[in-house]
Amino acid sequence: MRRAAGDHQDGSRPAPPRADPPGARMNRPARTALAAALLLGLAGVPDRDATAALIRVGGNGRWTGAAGVRDLRTGAPVLEDARFRAGSTTKVVTAALVLQLAAEGRIDLEAPVQQLMPGLLPATFAKPVTVRHLLTFTSGIQGGDGFGDTVAEEYPHRFETITPQQSVASGTAKGPAFDPGTRQQYNNINYTILGMLVEKATGDTYAHQAEVRIFRPLGMTGTSFPRGTDPRIHGPHHRGYQLIDGKPVDVTEWNMSDRFAAGDMISTTRDMERFLTALFRGRVVPAPQLEEMFTVPDVPGATRSAGLQRFTVNGKEVWGKTGARPGYHTVVAATRDLSRTLVYSVNSTDAKGDGLAIFQRFGLAAFNR
């Protein structure tokens, strides 16, 4: 295949050079207050907090920016189309798949998991756990066991496998943390079970259903799930790093198969922006079911709906989702009317740490103006 001048051998394109603050480049150099604020966040990358960052702002006005390097060893510049581990933003896709199947009458949101998947929940779950409880993190099911509580503890086990089934079994064995529908507690296990339910309802793999129902129809050509336990990110991507004992350690290759429908997706900022926009416009989930994604359950302290979370940013109601895997931190967010959208991928050196600090640096300005 013939490549445009300046393209890399893998078909990716480096972000074009601009006369912007050191370490930052802007693809649409409109000198606005928004652009200035976003460039301020990008300035200085790579630094101790991040090795690379890609930002896309849309809605009333558009701006894209990139900063940093894709590899600390070579110092090669960032790629506009870099793929990354999307982490828990995968849950938005999972919620959309479940709601599509609900619209088709293939999944009943009020049906108990005990009925739909007999034997999955032990007898300690005496009260019905519905599909809606899973979608809104109100099931009371506790998280499954992993290889540790920190990235440093998990790192030596990064090529080992915990299957989704093993993760669910270890979580459900602990018994319920609370009665279904009485509290909201965020964890991965709810969406791991939803992924298993998608497979049972369709007789197909979760990954293939995501491809044929969402990725392919929306033209999300850079989005996929790893095959099996493959630890690699295929195609153009940035290396991911985690500070361990004060030093950046390459954590790019990692078997994330246990994250499954809760956090195993690989994507691009372009694709995630395309998905977010289509979703909010009703092109992914039919209108009646889409309301589930903008409805927070009436339980104390709840902020999460089916796949999304409600935030208030500078007085604006914003709906979005964060995602974090070692070396990769992602945000997708928008006002419901799409007057402002935000997608970013930051190669944070503590991606599973303080997500608020990352948002304040790289994304807050998008909703200031």
Side-chain angles (χ1 to χ4, degrees), residues 303-328:
T303 61
R304 300 179 186 275
S305 61
L308 297 173
Q309 185 172 9
R310 183 180 62 200
F311 302 90
T312 300
V313 184
N314 297 317
K316 299 182 179 73
E317 184 177 84
V318 176
W319 294 86
K321 187 72 188 73
T322 62
R325 301 307 309 139
Y328 302 88

Side-chain angles (χ1 to χ4, degrees), residues 246-295:
K247 297 179 180 179
V249 175
D250 193 322
V251 291
T252 309
E253 277 75 44
W254 201 301
N255 171 10
M256 301 285 182
S257 57
D258 63 312
R259 297 306 180 211
F260 184 45
D264 200 19
M265 186 169 67
I266 292 169
S267 192
T268 68
T269 55
R270 170 194 169 276
D271 281 4
M272 293 304 290
E273 181 183 59
R274 180 168 288 201
F275 169 60
L276 185 69
T277 302
L279 178 68
F280 279 41
R281 285 178 175 163
R283 292 175 47 212
V284 179
V285 175
Q289 287 72 32
L290 183 60
E291 283 305 307
E292 299 281 344
M293 304 190 84
F294 298 102
T295 303

Side-chain angles (χ1 to χ4, degrees), residues 137-156:
F137 304 98
T138 57
S139 68
I141 302 174
Q142 301 190 58
D145 296 331
F147 289 118
D149 296 324
T150 67
V151 176
E153 290 173 348
E154 295 173 333
Y155 179 74

Side-chain angles (χ1 to χ4, degrees), residues 105-281:
R106 300 170 75 176
I107 290 179
D108 180 355
L109 300 185
E110 291 300 324
V113 174
Q114 291 94 326
Q115 172 186 321
L116 297 174
M117 307 179 77
L120 184 71
L121 302 184
T124 50
F125 288 85
K127 296 187 177 181
V129 175
T130 68
V131 176
R132 184 174 278 109
H133 288 146
L134 296 175
L135 283 167
T136 58
F137 304 98
T138 57
S139 68
I141 302 174
Q142 301 190 58
D145 296 331
F147 289 118
D149 296 324
T150 67
V151 176
E153 290 173 348
E154 295 173 333
Y155 179 74
H157 305 280
R158 65 195 182 279
F159 299 128
E160 298 177 36
T161 299
I162 298 175
T163 67
Q165 291 76 14
Q166 289 172 327
S167 179
V168 170
S170 66
T172 57
K174 301 172 186 176
F178 51 85
D179 285 343
T182 62
R183 289 172 49 193
Q184 187 171 74
Q185 184 180 68
Y186 181 79
N187 57 30
N188 286 323
I189 199 165
N190 292 279
Y191 276 68
T192 300
I193 294 173
L194 287 172
M196 295 165 69
L197 180 59
V198 167
E199 293 191 333
K200 182 167 185 180
T202 62
D204 192 11
T205 66
Y206 166 85
H208 188 248
Q209 283 293 299
E211 180 183 354
V212 298
R213 286 175 171 270
I214 296 177
F215 303 161
R216 201 179 295 168
L218 295 183
M220 297 170 64
T221 56
T223 303
S224 63
F225 287 89
R227 290 183 179 274
T229 60
D230 188 349
R232 295 167 295 175
I233 301 175
H234 294 273
H237 62 278
H238 299 159
R239 307 298 296 179
Y241 300 89
Q242 169 72 33
L243 286 178
I244 298 178
D245 295 330
K247 297 179 180 179
V249 175
D250 193 322
V251 291
T252 309
E253 277 75 44
W254 201 301
N255 171 10
M256 301 285 182
S257 57
D258 63 312
R259 297 306 180 211
F260 184 45
D264 200 19
M265 186 169 67
I266 292 169
S267 192
T268 68
T269 55
R270 170 194 169 276
D271 281 4
M272 293 304 290
E273 181 183 59
R274 180 168 288 201
F275 169 60
L276 185 69
T277 302
L279 178 68
F280 279 41
R281 285 178 175 163

Side-chain angles (χ1 to χ4, degrees), residues 2-48:
R2 189 175 182 182
R3 295 178 286 111
D7 282 7
H8 298 295
Q9 293 294 331
D10 61 5
S12 61
R13 296 187 179 185
R18 300 281 183 184
D20 291 319
R25 289 186 297 279
M26 186 166 59
N27 299 335
R28 292 172 175 81
R31 301 299 173 177
T32 64
L34 171 63
L38 290 167
L39 279 169
L40 184 63
L42 290 172
V45 177
D47 56 23
R48 185 173 177 80

